[in-house]
Amino acid sequence: MSVPKYPKYKDSGVEWLGEVPEHWDVMALKRITYLKSGDSITGETIEETGDAQTAEAERAIELLQERRTALISAAVTGKIDVREFAESEPIYL
């Protein structure tokens, strides 16, 4: 798996995450959306209510996909230790 390269990075303010692309906004996932286990965000699940809202939702999906890739990469390369989470009860947002 390859991680996309970006022209500029900034400190995320989150110790285990390190630097993130400069255009990312770092915030708690619970501030962005409400997901239950098994839920997902796709273009098909977003009701079109206007160009601005659709564009905003598409951008949010794109950023969530980038963050997911970065999180998986960090776990696979050992930048973060996920063993305690794998052993614990599931976390439902």
Side-chain angles (χ1 to χ4, degrees), residues 13-93:
V14 179
E15 183 180 339
W16 59 264
L17 187 55
E19 291 189 331
V20 297
E22 188 176 55
H23 67 281
W24 284 13
D25 294 323
V26 179
M27 64 185 72
L29 183 59
K30 66 183 178 182
R31 307 252 187 263
I32 299 172
T33 187
Y34 299 98
L35 295 178
K36 292 183 262 177
S37 180
D39 286 350
S40 63
I41 300 172
T42 65
E44 293 80 33
T45 61
I46 298 172
E47 181 180 325
E48 294 205 26
T49 57
D51 290 340
Q53 291 175 329
T54 300
E56 184 179 341
E58 287 172 351
R59 180 72 181 133
I61 291 168
E62 182 180 304
L63 289 174
L64 286 168
Q65 289 171 336
E66 287 180 16
R67 290 175 181 154
R68 178 181 180 269
T69 299
L71 182 59
I72 291 170
S73 177
V76 169
T77 59
K79 289 184 180 180
I80 59 171
D81 184 358
V82 296
R83 291 177 291 188
E84 68 182 69
F85 295 107
E87 296 168 359
S88 67
E89 291 292 318
I91 299 172
Y92 299 102
L93 301 176

